[in-house]
Amino acid sequence: MGATMLGTGSLAIGLNSTIMSTRVQAASSDDAKWKQFAGSKLTFLSENTPPSFAIRDNIKAFYDLTGIEVEVLTDDLPVVQQKAGIDLRSGKSDYILNYVQDKPIGAPFADFYADLSPMFGDDALPQDPDGYGDGAWVENFLNACGRFYSKDKVIALPYDAAIPVTFYRQDLFEQHSKTFEAEYGYRMEFTKDTTWKNVLDYATFFKKLKEGGADVPYGYAQHQGSFAWTTQLDIQRLMFSHGRWTDFDIDDKLGSKEPGKTKWGDEQSVLMLEKFKAFADVSHPDNLANGTLELNTVYQSGNIAMQVQYHEFAASVEDEKTSRAAGGKTAYAVCPKGEASWIKNGGEAVNGTNCGIGGIGINKNASEQIQRAAYLFAIWSTSKQLQFDVLKGLGGTPTRQSVLDMPEVKEAQKRPSKMPNALTFEAAYGVGIADPNFVLGPKIPEANEYHSLIASETQRMLSGEMSPEETAKSLQTQIDELNGA
């Protein structure tokens, strides 16, 4: 398109996108700054998460503010990762705005995204009153999805979050606690000091009751299935809880393009695989088939009593129309703590908690003007008011600290709650995501290949093909080959 109208240029930029711009000055009104790209059209490629559905359904509000049309394209994360990767690496910009999930998308493609830092504070662009520094976001969030391999630039603004917490059937724990205590010598409960060994005891107890004919669910199930990343995260939580074990000696928050030799194969990793297998042995019989979504369905249907699950699923668990675990039956606790007797590396026991933090990034292949237009969408879609609206409407997962500080959100953290995801916030944001419990990595360029290796080899172990020691050694060899170490 080569049209020129009233001094405003219009140019087609790929996949039905168009850029138009009108010059503004630092002294221009806020309204003029927001509307300087009116008539443009942009594309946003995102995982099918609640904030993206909410933005898609309410995109007219952004259009009214800016005059920019945004086509929101959503799909499963592996599909988004593939489409974004092809677009970025080919030098194209069909997808101007991308959902930058920390490791599956950010780690391999970090160099292809624009540095947003120069636009922070630019007088010719509107700015968010909360700002964009680390303190504007929940602890560790900006590092998780915004910074890769260097502190010098920010490639994405935190947009949504998936933080694991323990979901458990408090009603069943109370019902069977006396029987459990008579056998194990301690109460069946969840606190911040509940260890993975306790969880193994709880799962073993429920399985024994179930197989003895009692009308109870199985105790536990893991993140398996075909989504390799969440399988890797499931294992990583257990590993890090015990001695803060990590795969590589690198900066866990920034990552590294040259991580060196892995620690897989050491004494700690072998023991943790033995324990991971022990959990599998007492889990729901469909354990190997249950990915993240399936696992939550099993929990909602009343077939397991516990799951370590991402906090965004609380909204569905609390839906009394579809969930047998609703109506105050479910309680939420921080991820289990490491068991001191299972630590072989001399480290501390922590409530190991990892995450998936999705950011909004801008394709660096696009021109400067296109990037500036996209920046307007990035700051609008991560603003306090929008995050609050999504939390109220669809059960979003805020990333801005100012949302968590709102009186309405604090009140919603107690039952009865009009924002059921808020019931998890103390465990997720208050304890889990904070140091020393937080583990992010490994942020490495080969992150997706790494996730696949972890999932495939551990699933072979769970199906009886390899021992824990053989699995750890196999992972050591393959990961070192992957990274050229």
Side-chain angles (χ1 to χ4, degrees):
M1 297 175 65
T4 302
M5 299 168 45
L6 302 177
T8 301
S10 172
L11 180 67
I13 54 177
L15 201 69
N16 300 320
S17 296
T18 306
I19 186 68
M20 301 181 71
S21 63
T22 303
R23 179 182 291 275
V24 298
Q25 307 293 335
S28 299
S29 68
D30 283 344
D31 183 66
K33 291 176 184 178
W34 279 110
K35 285 191 164 57
Q36 62 185 291
F37 300 104
S40 300
K41 181 177 179 181
L42 304 174
T43 53
F44 172 39
L45 178 64
S46 176
E47 185 185 7
N48 40 17
T49 64
S52 296
F53 294 146
I55 284 175
R56 185 186 62 195
D57 293 343
N58 295 281
I59 200 64
K60 186 178 182 298
F62 181 71
Y63 178 80
D64 290 344
L65 177 67
T66 64
I68 300 172
E69 291 185 59
V70 177
E71 184 176 7
V72 182
L73 306 171
T74 62
D75 214 321
D76 294 337
L77 184 59
V79 177
V80 172
Q81 190 267 349
Q82 183 180 45
K83 288 181 176 180
I86 292 171
D87 192 43
L88 294 162
R89 286 177 167 159
S90 68
K92 296 181 179 180
S93 54
D94 283 344
Y95 307 110
I96 308 300
L97 292 140
N98 285 184
Y99 180 81
V100 183
Q101 185 61 271
D102 47 31
K103 294 171 289 292
I105 296 178
F109 307 134
D111 291 342
F112 297 94
Y113 288 106
D115 180 10
L116 304 181
S117 303
M119 290 183 272
F120 300 157
D122 186 320
D123 288 340
L125 291 168
Q127 301 295 331
D128 192 292
D130 283 351
Y132 313 99
D134 290 88
W137 314 98
V138 176
E139 183 176 354
N140 288 315
F141 276 19
L142 189 60
N143 276 331
C145 73
R147 298 188 180 106
F148 292 82
Y149 313 126
S150 169
K151 294 181 180 179
D152 297 335
K153 62 180 182 179
V154 173
I155 67 164
L157 296 179
Y159 171 66
D160 70 357
I163 303 166
V165 299
T166 304
F167 293 48
Y168 67 100
R169 287 287 299 275
Q170 190 171 28
D171 60 326
L172 296 177
F173 273 54
E174 292 172 353
Q175 180 182 345
H176 298 286
S177 184
K178 287 186 178 180
T179 305
F180 176 86
E181 189 171 358
E183 183 173 348
Y184 286 86
Y186 67 93
R187 284 183 54 79
M188 186 165 61
E189 61 183 356
F190 264 103
T191 72
K192 63 182 179 61
D193 293 316
T194 298
T195 70
W196 280 104
K197 183 180 182 301
N198 298 143
V199 176
L200 183 59
D201 288 346
Y202 301 161
T204 302
F205 171 76
F206 273 105
K207 182 180 181 182
K208 183 178 178 180
L209 286 181
K210 179 79 171 177
E211 293 180 343
D215 184 19
V216 296
Y218 284 91
Y220 191 67
Q222 299 166 320
H223 291 256
Q224 299 294 332
S226 60
F227 196 4
W229 180 36
T230 53
T231 299
Q232 181 267 328
L233 291 172
D234 208 38
I235 297 167
Q236 183 184 51
R237 287 190 289 275
L238 177 67
M239 307 281 285
F240 186 76
S241 298
H242 296 88
R244 303 185 79 226
W245 186 95
T246 56
D247 308 67
F248 305 98
D249 285 320
I250 60 175
D251 185 319
D252 182 61
K253 294 173 184 175
L254 291 179
S256 174
K257 293 182 179 180
E258 297 180 348
K261 288 188 175 295
T262 182
K263 288 185 283 186
W264 278 101
D266 68 7
E267 182 183 23
Q268 187 68 54
S269 66
V270 173
L271 178 60
M272 289 300 96
L273 287 181
E274 290 174 358
K275 300 304 181 183
F276 195 71
K277 176 69 163 58
F279 279 103
D281 290 343
V282 294
S283 285
H284 188 277
D286 293 334
N287 191 51
L288 276 172
N290 290 327
T292 298
L293 295 175
E294 294 85 358
L295 175 59
N296 192 59
T297 299
V298 170
Y299 180 81
Q300 285 187 198
S301 63
N303 289 314
I304 53 174
M306 298 177 288
Q307 61 170 345
V308 178
Q309 184 60 276
Y310 302 101
H311 76 304
E312 62 189 339
F313 285 94
S316 61
V317 165
E318 295 295 332
D319 186 346
E320 296 191 27
K321 296 188 295 293
T322 59
S323 174
R324 295 181 62 185
K329 295 177 182 177
T330 294
Y332 305 95
V334 71
C335 292
K337 192 173 186 177
E339 164 62 36
S341 65
W342 293 2
I343 297 175
K344 303 298 181 183
N345 64 6
E348 63 181 314
V350 297
N351 299 94
T353 305
N354 44 23
C355 64
I357 308 297
I360 292 190
I362 299 171
N363 189 323
K364 191 171 72 173
N365 299 326
S367 70
E368 180 181 358
Q369 284 295 85
I370 298 168
Q371 291 180 27
R372 292 171 73 83
Y375 176 78
L376 302 188
F377 180 80
I379 65 171
W380 174 80
S381 59
T382 57
S383 64
K384 174 183 176 180
Q385 187 59 50
L386 187 66
Q387 291 196 356
F388 179 59
D389 291 343
V390 174
L391 175 61
K392 287 192 299 181
L394 288 179
T397 51
T399 60
R400 281 200 174 272
Q401 183 61 45
S402 58
V403 178
L404 302 185
D405 294 338
M406 296 174 72
E408 301 98 313
V409 175
K410 289 183 177 181
E411 183 63 27
Q413 294 180 36
K414 299 176 292 186
R415 294 183 185 276
S417 177
K418 295 180 180 179
M419 308 174 205
N421 277 356
L423 296 171
T424 69
F425 284 0
E426 175 56 29
Y429 296 124
V431 180
I433 204 69
D435 296 326
N437 300 313
F438 175 64
V439 58
L440 178 65
K443 270 185 179 175
I444 56 176
E446 298 81 10
N448 291 296
E449 294 85 350
Y450 162 84
H451 299 153
S452 295
L453 282 175
I454 299 294
S456 63
E457 294 301 276
T458 54
Q459 287 171 357
R460 288 178 63 195
M461 178 190 74
L462 298 188
S463 63
E465 291 184 38
M466 296 192 297
S467 70
E469 184 173 9
E470 289 170 337
T471 303
K473 294 297 184 183
S474 175
L475 285 170
Q476 179 184 39
T477 299
Q478 294 186 69
I479 292 171
D480 281 347
E481 288 178 355
L482 178 67
N483 293 314

